[in-house]
Amino acid sequence: MPFIALAQTIAAGRVVDAETGNPLENVSVYFNETQIGTKTNLGGRFFIETSNSKAKLVISCVGYHKIILDEIPRQNLKILLKPINNTLKEVVVSDRNGWQKWGSLFTKLLMSDNSHDYYSKKYGGDVVLNPKVISFYFDREENILTASSTEPIWIVNDVLGYLIKVDLDEFIYDIGKERIKYKSTLFFEPTKSSLPLDNIQLTTNSVYQGSLTHFFNSLVKHKLNEEGFGLYTYSEVKNQEKIRVQTLVNKLKYDQLKNKQFAMTINLESLIKDKDSLRYYRKMLAESDYITRKLDTLDVYRLLKKDTLHNLLSLNLKDTIMITYVRHQKSLAMHTDYINIRRDRKEWIKVETLMVLTDGQPLIISDTGNPLSNNWYVNGFMSSKRLVSALPADFDPEVPRVKAKHDALKNHAIFRDERP
């Protein structure tokens, strides 16, 4: 019978200690941001494959420097992992209160602006299962919080039914500018959830609809309009008075933060005692970020170039663009038995995201819809939820979710008992 075979990317080889040459057992080998992963056997050998020709292969082991392969040169790989030399590491004095002081803030910055997005009856807001592996350092002069970890951070997203293993490379939060510099590799493992399957499916649909993953998938398939996306060139006149008030409030907040033991106890009432000033500041902070703005329809496919030789696309944006998306009740109910969804009160709701390239170079995208370069920045709907809305890169919206039979945490209950 005739059939169509999808090209497979196969990685097979052996992982050894770079200094001793001894094979390393139980090393994590996975394709970044996917559900495809394995462990090395007693001889350090592994075999793994995917249909994504541009997937990055990650080799990670506690006590060793992580390796990321953008391309897999051959199947018979020999991976040399270098041990982390603790005596040569830079000595940094971390905060004594560590997780107690910064844990809630770190979780919020990593997951979502709103803790209700990841709160569940089973775990509450304690979704980081092994917080003891995380160290924090707060630079009081620069108002910069840095986090690092000695091994992958385990995060359970009960509302989506995933265990996410975060190999953290960098986490820097500039409190003054309210900017996060974050870099990691991720592995998704489906796990049992305390929620019914329909709830999981509904949340998954809500997360996917209008997300960056949805946008890039629609872009490479030339289905932006069909899927409900709109693109526009964008310009605005900013609300300078709101900016002034926000800057003043931030300064008061950061000055007080230096003397606070717990980072999440600061609120507007504790910063501003005068009732008239407090009322005015609340009013200004509730206003729009801009006074006027101008939108012109953009034909993005005129800016999208295809490299057929390497199966890549490049998107060259000269200015900031706005991406709009219309979220419909029907699309949110896909694969579920729900007819009326209370999540959105209206039958439809329009959301907005701003996108800009940071270095003037094109954004490189694989033909499967994965952005491969890091020279882009988004602000708005697509940026507010971070890891809580992260789905595996190999997620297919046409395939309904199934209830996971395997509890990925059954052998790691000790994590839940070791919270500081």
Side-chain angles (χ1 to χ4, degrees):
M1 296 178 61
F3 65 95
I4 299 175
L6 296 176
Q8 295 289 308
T9 296
I10 297 175
R14 189 164 175 257
V15 182
V16 301
D17 186 302
E19 293 183 356
T20 66
N22 294 330
L24 294 176
E25 183 187 6
N26 215 31
V27 176
S28 294
V29 182
Y30 61 91
F31 289 110
N32 187 31
E33 298 184 2
T34 73
Q35 305 170 76
I36 306 171
T38 187
K39 298 275 189 178
T40 57
N41 63 16
L42 184 63
R45 297 194 175 277
F46 66 90
F47 178 91
I48 190 172
E49 61 181 328
T50 178
S51 59
N52 185 353
S53 61
K54 298 299 179 181
K56 295 182 179 181
L57 186 69
V58 181
I59 302 93
S60 175
C61 184
V62 177
Y64 290 84
H65 292 285
K66 180 175 66 177
I67 288 180
I68 304 175
L69 297 179
D70 294 334
E71 295 184 2
I72 302 173
R74 60 186 183 278
Q75 291 186 23
N76 189 23
L77 298 170
K78 185 176 182 180
I79 307 296
L80 305 176
L81 289 188
K82 295 181 179 179
I84 297 174
N85 191 336
N86 292 320
T87 61
L88 298 179
K89 290 177 66 177
E90 181 181 0
V91 178
V92 176
V93 180
S94 60
D95 276 2
R96 292 181 179 179
N97 293 320
W99 185 256
Q100 289 89 344
K101 181 173 182 179
W102 301 108
S104 296
L105 178 61
F106 174 77
T107 303
K108 177 180 177 181
L109 295 172
L110 197 65
M111 298 295 289
S112 167
D113 291 339
N114 190 344
S115 61
H116 291 292
D117 290 333
Y118 52 88
Y119 184 90
S120 70
K121 290 183 179 180
K122 185 175 182 179
Y123 296 96
D126 289 335
V127 295
V128 178
L129 301 184
N130 56 341
K132 285 188 175 181
V133 306
I134 309 171
S135 298
F136 298 95
Y137 174 71
F138 180 51
D139 188 325
R140 295 178 180 273
E141 296 299 324
E142 300 294 333
N143 280 326
I144 292 178
L145 175 68
T146 303
S148 60
S149 65
T150 56
E151 55 189 80
I153 303 170
W154 289 52
I155 295 177
V156 60
N157 191 341
D158 191 48
V159 296
L160 283 178
Y162 286 117
L163 171 66
I164 309 174
K165 299 176 183 178
V166 182
D167 264 325
L168 190 64
D169 297 316
E170 184 179 46
F171 185 94
I172 301 173
Y173 178 49
D174 188 325
I175 298 177
K177 297 179 181 178
E178 293 191 331
R179 290 183 181 176
I180 303 172
K181 188 176 182 182
Y182 164 72
K183 184 180 179 182
S184 73
T185 54
L186 306 174
F187 177 67
F188 292 81
E189 188 172 351
T191 189
K192 285 186 176 180
S193 170
S194 62
L195 302 175
L197 182 58
D198 262 353
N199 290 53
I200 297 173
Q201 184 68 68
L202 185 60
T203 306
T204 302
N205 293 349
S206 181
V207 163
Y208 180 75
Q209 299 296 328
S211 67
L212 280 168
T213 302
H214 188 190
F215 170 74
F216 283 118
N217 283 345
S218 302
L219 177 68
V220 299
K221 295 176 181 177
H222 284 243
K223 290 186 176 181
L224 285 174
N225 291 334
E226 182 181 334
E227 290 289 322
F229 288 97
L231 273 78
Y232 307 87
T233 57
Y234 177 82
S235 61
E236 67 179 17
V237 176
K238 293 185 177 180
N239 187 338
Q240 294 298 326
E241 179 59 10
K242 180 178 180 179
I243 293 174
R244 184 190 72 82
V245 170
Q246 184 68 69
T247 302
L248 177 60
V249 170
N250 285 347
K251 185 179 185 305
L252 293 173
K253 182 171 66 175
Y254 309 140
D255 288 343
Q256 191 173 131
L257 181 63
K258 293 180 181 180
N259 303 315
K260 283 280 185 180
Q261 182 178 6
F262 295 97
M264 297 302 289
T265 59
I266 298 174
N267 52 49
L268 202 59
E269 290 78 3
S270 67
L271 297 174
I272 303 167
K273 302 301 182 182
D274 182 77
K275 291 184 178 179
D276 290 336
S277 297
L278 179 61
R279 190 179 301 111
Y280 177 72
Y281 286 171
R282 279 178 172 168
K283 176 185 175 183
M284 291 307 305
L285 293 175
E287 286 191 359
S288 174
D289 292 335
Y290 53 84
I291 298 174
T292 61
R293 63 179 185 175
K294 182 181 179 182
L295 300 176
D296 292 312
T297 303
L298 172 68
D299 182 2
V300 71
Y301 291 109
R302 293 179 58 187
L303 308 176
L304 191 67
K305 307 298 180 184
K306 188 170 184 179
D307 181 350
T308 54
L309 180 62
H310 301 96
N311 295 324
L312 297 175
L313 297 100
S314 62
L315 180 60
N316 195 3
L317 304 175
K318 298 297 183 183
D319 301 299
T320 300
I321 66 168
M322 174 174 282
I323 305 169
T324 64
Y325 179 75
V326 179
R327 291 161 62 85
H328 284 281
Q329 295 276 11
K330 276 188 177 180
S331 63
L332 293 179
M334 183 173 64
H335 303 317
T336 75
D337 292 330
Y338 287 102
I339 298 175
N340 297 316
I341 301 175
R342 297 179 181 177
R343 187 183 299 271
D344 296 323
R345 294 182 180 179
K346 297 180 180 179
E347 184 178 350
W348 58 270
I349 185 172
K350 191 175 185 178
V351 294
E352 299 177 342
T353 301
L354 295 179
M355 174 182 285
V356 63
L357 299 185
T358 56
D359 60 5
Q361 297 299 313
L363 168 60
I364 307 301
I365 309 165
S366 73
D367 58 354
T368 56
N370 295 324
L372 302 178
S373 55
N374 297 314
N375 61 332
W376 54 291
Y377 171 78
V378 294
N379 185 33
F381 176 77
M382 294 182 185
S383 66
S384 63
K385 296 185 180 297
R386 296 180 286 280
L387 262 189
V388 77
S389 62
L391 291 170
D394 50 345
F395 170 78
D396 186 348
E398 298 300 323
V399 178
R401 294 292 301 273
V402 296
K403 194 79 171 180
K405 297 180 180 179
H406 173 62
D407 185 356
L409 304 176
K410 66 178 181 180
N411 296 323
H412 305 281
I414 189 172
F415 283 158
R416 295 192 288 274
D417 300 327
E418 286 188 348
R419 288 195 184 95

